[in-house]
Amino acid sequence: MSALRNVALVGFAQGPIVARDRHRMSTEMLYPVVREALAQVGATRDDIAYQVSASTDYMDGRPFGFVAALDVMGSWPPRQDLHLEMDGSFAAYYAWLKIQAGEADSAIVCGHGKTSEGEPERILNLALDPYYQAPIGLGPTATSALQASAYMARTGATDADLAAVAARSRAAGAKNPDTQVREAAAATALQRTDWAVEPLRTGYLPPIGESATCLVIAAEGKAEKLCERPVWIQGVDHRSEMQSLGARDLSRSAGAKLAGEKALAMADVGAAKDVDLVELMATTPVEELILCEALGLDATAKKPVVNPSGGPLCGHPIMSTGLVRLGEVFRQLTGTAGERGVAGARRALAHASMGHCLQQNIVWVLGAQRRWS
Amino acid sequence: MKRPVAVVGVGQTHHGARRADLSIPGLIREAVDRALTDAGLTHDDIDAIVIGKAPDMLEGVCQPEQFLVGAMGGYMKPVLRVHTAGSVGASTAIAAMTHVASGLYDRVLTIAFEKQSEGNAMWALSPNMPFTPPLVAGAGGFFAPYCRAYIAKTSCPPHIGPMTAANARDNATRNEYAHLRDPMSVEDVMNSPVLWDPIRYLETCPSSDGAVALVLAAGDLAKQGPRKPAWIRGAASYAEAMWVPGRDQVSPRAGQVCAKHVYDQAGITDPWNQIQTAEIYVPFAWFEAMWLENLGFRDVGEGWKAIDRGEQKMGAHLPINPSGGVLCTNPIGASGMLRLGEAALQVMGRAGAHQVDGVENALGHAYGGGAQYFAMWVVSTEAP
């Protein structure tokens, strides 16, 4: 591998995560966060070389949902551009590659999705293969329940263990004014919630929300001009597994494990537990337990703190949920995370996933220090 | 670009209105297998995969790349999914190029597909959107006013569209992979019904099932392959906002800017004389004249005259779409990558019966959205 450039997160803006924004269209939700992110870095759109957006047509209920976003991303004069039908975290990865290739020195990365336009449970059913899995009506809740069963059977984890994870997320989310559900809930109370699909209870599921997000990244040399405390990308990797639920061990995440190993090696960090905090895109308590196992983390240890934001169990704006994890790390390492801030945090890990049951995973290692000299 | 990148393998399926013999993964696999065989490589040699297609609603599968991971050979590899409307096939290949250029990946497989017989493109492209008058007319209804505007702006005579369509069909008779391979005359086109004025039935692209895959490799590795590589000398993707006062839909600025950026990288100052063939995205016949101007091959108002003189035909000055192009084969998500792959085949000298003589530089081009997204590359026989 040839030498890599230091690239940093320099600005991040996020709209309020709400179950339904009755007053604004998708583009109206995106426009203010683009303006806010640019204002944070004191730049105009002309100062930023590249743009990538992340959304999925089905969530907006129309083809080409991303085309309208061009107008509010400041695409005039014409911009170098790409759109990924993926979570914003993967769009950030492509922007990072573009900078590594020497084709840009900076980029804005937008995530948007208006989940209230449709029924995400039914839409994500359509992401399963159309011959065998989709026709039997599986949605993300049902596939997550299959995964939970597999994990509990293998490890002996109990309902109380799941409730404990959910309760910890909820306690953290109570300190996060930017997330959707901000009320702590005791594990015992969550254990009294109804089954969604056994063994998952409604209290263990994420609130599906909508929001828009905008991240600004820049290469060394420019990053320091745009931001007082750039958060440097030290390592990143992503991997995909097969979709078929019967073709993989649902109780584990081989993809997150490999992506984590590669990202940590790139960052020259010995183990995930050596960082100060971790933001995981875990949409169920079981996903959190599986991801912690894959990354070699003990979620109950004092360090690293897992999901100090409350994680997706307190706010799940689909297509931005992964990008919010990067944004949370940015806030933590720039000391702007407020009450949920982890004191003295210098290095962190951010994760995102796509697909059912953690099919595709991306792991980022980020720090206050440059990786390459 | 940090390091040189070349196309070292091209594979495409046979295209048709309905490939009933194949599932969606089967279609992908046919293209992937051919591209890997062409490159003399196996799945083990591939470091990452970039896949693109047009709206998921065309087949009714949301984010289908996830269910296609096995068919692509993507197990435990990095997989990204691109969607930039009609230009997607081209911008997907360019995203794959960036993967190699970054230095992080040595060989990348890139794939684009559409299996339009699985759904109904006209329905999928005509939703009822808030605050927008319902069009319910698909892409033809959307682009017909652009064609009318071109005709009004340049006094383009009515036989130019039919000439373009007949020429495309003539070219496709020599392309074994093309969907529509029956020749037709200018009169046939003129006599076909008008669908959306001025676009006649035989001036429109078909709805096809098909897929294409390319293998891209970094400089030194590209030289080791069994084939002469097609070197990517310039590539870019640009987009522009829709609602800009005074925006020129006939010759969008994003297309001009993108072409200039690509030519500058490739050292091309006179595209008409330095490029020997071009595969450009012409879904409705009138766009060929429009793009000749937008891409800087001809001055404003001169594009249709070049077509009238036959300068875009096989054996003439600048053969356009020797494969028959989108007018003969249109698996929407794959159409852009087919343009780039066909340009690569031309500089490799391996385009078979539709090979243009003496190609040193070739342009591959695609556009999408409301003529807002542009992606193109110039490939060359010479390494940068």
Side-chain angles (χ1 to χ4, degrees):
Chain A
M1 189 190 300
S2 31
L4 291 168
R5 297 172 86 180
N6 286 305
V7 179
L9 320 186
V10 295
F12 178 74
Q14 168 193 325
I17 311 174
V18 292
R20 176 170 192 167
D21 189 333
R22 291 177 184 279
H23 306 291
R24 292 182 298 179
M25 298 188 293
S26 191
T27 45
E28 290 176 294
M29 292 164 65
L30 185 55
Y31 181 74
V33 299
V34 173
R35 305 314 299 175
E36 187 190 329
L38 289 171
Q40 265 181 36
V41 299
T44 70
R45 184 58 195 82
D46 289 340
D47 299 324
I48 308 296
Y50 196 72
Q51 67 185 30
V52 200
S53 64
S55 68
T56 186
D57 279 348
Y58 264 99
M59 213 55 78
D60 289 348
R62 57 169 167 167
F64 307 136
F66 56 93
V67 176
L70 283 181
D71 286 270
V72 295
M73 287 165 71
S75 310
W76 192 264
R79 308 292 183 187
Q80 293 203 64
D81 171 278
L82 198 74
H83 169 260
L84 298 187
E85 197 88 349
M86 303 186 87
D87 181 276
S89 186
F90 291 86
Y93 180 78
Y94 184 71
W96 177 78
L97 272 187
K98 197 83 186 164
I99 294 174
Q100 293 300 338
E103 294 167 1
D105 65 355
S106 52
I108 59 168
V109 180
C110 295
H112 60 101
K114 196 142 176 62
T115 51
S116 63
E117 293 293 314
E119 297 173 44
E121 190 75 19
R122 290 180 67 188
I123 289 167
L124 293 172
N125 161 266
L126 297 174
L128 288 162
D129 92 70
Y131 305 111
Y132 299 106
Q133 296 183 143
I136 60 175
L138 296 172
T141 305
T143 56
S144 295
L146 288 170
Q147 182 180 41
S149 299
Y151 178 81
M152 292 163 90
R154 175 170 69 80
T155 63
T158 63
D159 185 51
D161 295 325
L162 272 55
V165 173
R168 193 160 36 74
S169 281
R170 293 285 294 270
K175 294 180 190 165
N176 180 359
D178 294 314
T179 200
Q180 187 174 347
V181 171
R182 296 186 290 267
E183 287 167 7
T188 47
L190 293 171
Q191 266 188 284
R192 286 194 295 273
T193 58
D194 292 337
W195 295 120
V197 178
E198 197 175 348
L200 292 180
R201 297 177 182 278
T202 54
Y204 307 163
L205 296 181
I208 305 286
E210 56 194 29
S211 180
T213 43
C214 182
L215 176 74
V216 185
I217 72 172
E220 183 170 9
K222 184 155 188 168
E224 304 88 326
K225 291 179 189 143
L226 297 175
C227 180
E228 257 178 54
R229 296 170 70 178
V231 171
W232 300 97
I233 298 164
Q234 300 180 337
V236 54
D237 192 83
H238 68 102
R239 299 284 155 173
S240 183
E241 291 184 67
M242 298 295 194
Q243 176 174 78
S244 176
L245 302 174
R248 53 186 162 124
D249 181 351
L250 288 184
S251 77
R252 292 183 168 89
S253 180
K257 184 171 190 290
L258 183 59
E261 287 165 4
K262 297 272 183 189
L264 290 162
M266 186 187 286
D268 199 20
V269 175
K273 64 180 168 51
D274 297 335
V275 306
D276 300 306
L277 72 118
V278 174
E279 280 285 339
L280 301 176
M281 185 173 152
T283 61
T284 68
V286 172
E287 282 189 358
E288 183 171 315
L289 294 168
I290 291 172
L291 287 167
C292 283
E293 183 185 288
L295 296 167
L297 294 169
D298 174 1
T300 57
K302 284 218 167 77
K303 185 193 158 185
V305 183
V306 174
N307 285 357
S309 67
L313 290 183
C314 297
H316 185 23
I318 297 177
M319 305 320 285
S320 282
T321 308
L323 194 57
V324 168
R325 310 277 73 75
L326 277 178
E328 284 291 335
V329 165
F330 177 71
R331 288 158 167 159
Q332 287 284 355
L333 301 190
T334 49
T336 54
E339 207 190 330
R340 64 188 185 279
V342 174
R346 301 280 295 160
R347 202 161 53 186
L349 188 148
H351 158 271
S353 76
M354 287 289 296
H356 286 254
C357 299
L358 302 169
Q359 187 191 345
Q360 204 175 353
N361 293 276
I362 186 166
V363 177
W364 301 79
V365 181
L366 303 120
Q369 300 291 327
R370 289 171 184 78
R371 165 67 179 87
W372 294 276
S373 53
Chain B
M1 254 192 283
K2 196 158 147 184
R3 60 176 179 169
V5 186
V7 182
V8 297
V10 181
Q12 61 180 298
T13 62
H14 285 90
H15 303 275
R18 182 169 168 79
R19 285 293 305 268
D21 57 323
L22 292 174
S23 63
I24 298 172
L27 193 74
I28 297 287
R29 194 59 178 235
E30 188 170 294
V32 167
D33 284 350
R34 284 179 182 160
L36 287 173
T37 303
D38 196 50
L41 299 171
T42 71
H43 286 287
D44 290 342
D45 300 310
I46 299 299
D47 300 324
I49 294 173
V50 187
I51 180 171
K53 73 176 295 295
D56 292 356
M57 287 163 190
L58 292 184
E59 288 86 4
V61 184
C62 178
Q63 300 160 351
E65 67 282 359
Q66 290 164 4
F67 112 82
L68 295 170
V69 164
M72 300 189 286
Y75 175 65
M76 282 298 174
K77 288 180 182 168
V79 174
L80 288 188
R81 157 76 195 287
V82 176
H83 179 11
T84 61
S87 70
V88 62
S91 53
T92 302
I94 291 167
M97 180 201 76
T98 301
H99 276 65
V100 180
S102 72
L104 279 126
Y105 304 99
D106 290 330
R107 292 190 188 97
V108 174
L109 176 67
T110 186
I111 305 157
F113 79 99
E114 209 75 73
K115 200 163 191 305
Q116 288 188 229
S117 66
E118 302 277 338
N120 183 325
M122 185 66 97
W123 174 85
L125 297 176
S126 306
N128 196 358
M129 286 194 268
F131 310 108
T132 309
L135 205 55
V136 201
F142 188 88
F143 287 119
Y146 294 18
C147 299
R148 283 202 299 277
Y150 176 77
I151 290 166
K153 177 177 157 186
T154 66
S155 304
C156 174
H159 63 273
I160 295 301
M163 275 184 76
T164 304
N167 182 55
R169 203 66 88 77
D170 180 56
N171 289 349
T173 61
R174 292 181 286 276
N175 176 5
E176 63 163 314
Y177 293 107
H179 174 180
L180 301 176
R181 302 186 65 203
D182 303 325
M184 62 190 186
S185 68
V186 173
E187 290 69 35
D188 291 338
V189 186
M190 296 286 262
N191 291 331
S192 67
V194 171
L195 295 187
W196 310 273
D197 182 28
I199 302 172
R200 297 174 181 84
Y201 175 66
L202 292 178
E203 290 168 2
T204 65
C205 52
S207 282
S208 313
D209 285 2
V212 54
L214 308 177
V215 181
L216 308 183
D220 291 342
L221 290 167
K223 289 175 188 159
Q224 292 165 14
R227 309 283 189 191
K228 191 173 86 168
W231 297 96
I232 303 167
R233 297 295 300 269
S237 60
Y238 276 79
E240 70 184 30
M242 172 73 97
W243 305 108
V244 177
R247 175 175 171 255
D248 183 354
Q249 288 104 333
V250 170
S251 186
R253 197 158 148 190
Q256 296 173 20
V257 170
C258 189
K260 178 163 191 328
H261 188 169
V262 170
Y263 297 153
D264 285 350
Q265 292 172 66
I268 286 170
T269 51
D270 177 6
W272 182 248
N273 289 308
Q274 288 174 279
I275 289 172
Q276 289 76 40
T277 187
E279 284 277 347
I280 62 181
Y281 202 97
V282 179
F284 304 102
W286 304 90
F287 272 94
E288 191 157 309
M290 292 161 73
W291 293 148
L292 278 174
E293 298 171 21
N294 186 248
L295 291 167
F297 286 115
R298 299 278 77 192
D299 288 340
V300 175
E302 299 293 320
W304 68 261
K305 294 176 188 168
I307 290 169
D308 207 20
R309 291 189 296 267
E311 290 168 353
Q312 91 294 12
K313 294 187 173 184
M314 287 296 278
H317 182 84
L318 180 69
I320 301 291
N321 294 333
S323 68
V326 181
L327 281 172
C328 301
T329 308
N330 187 35
I332 298 180
S335 293
M337 194 179 289
L338 283 165
R339 306 282 70 69
L340 271 48
E342 286 285 349
L345 286 173
Q346 290 287 347
V347 299
M348 291 164 153
R350 297 199 292 114
H354 60 283
Q355 177 70 45
V356 174
D357 290 337
V359 176
E360 289 173 7
N361 295 311
L363 176 76
H365 156 274
Y367 86 102
Q372 294 166 274
Y373 288 86
F374 292 83
M376 54 192 91
W377 72 21
V378 166
V379 278
S380 171
T381 51
E382 297 300 316

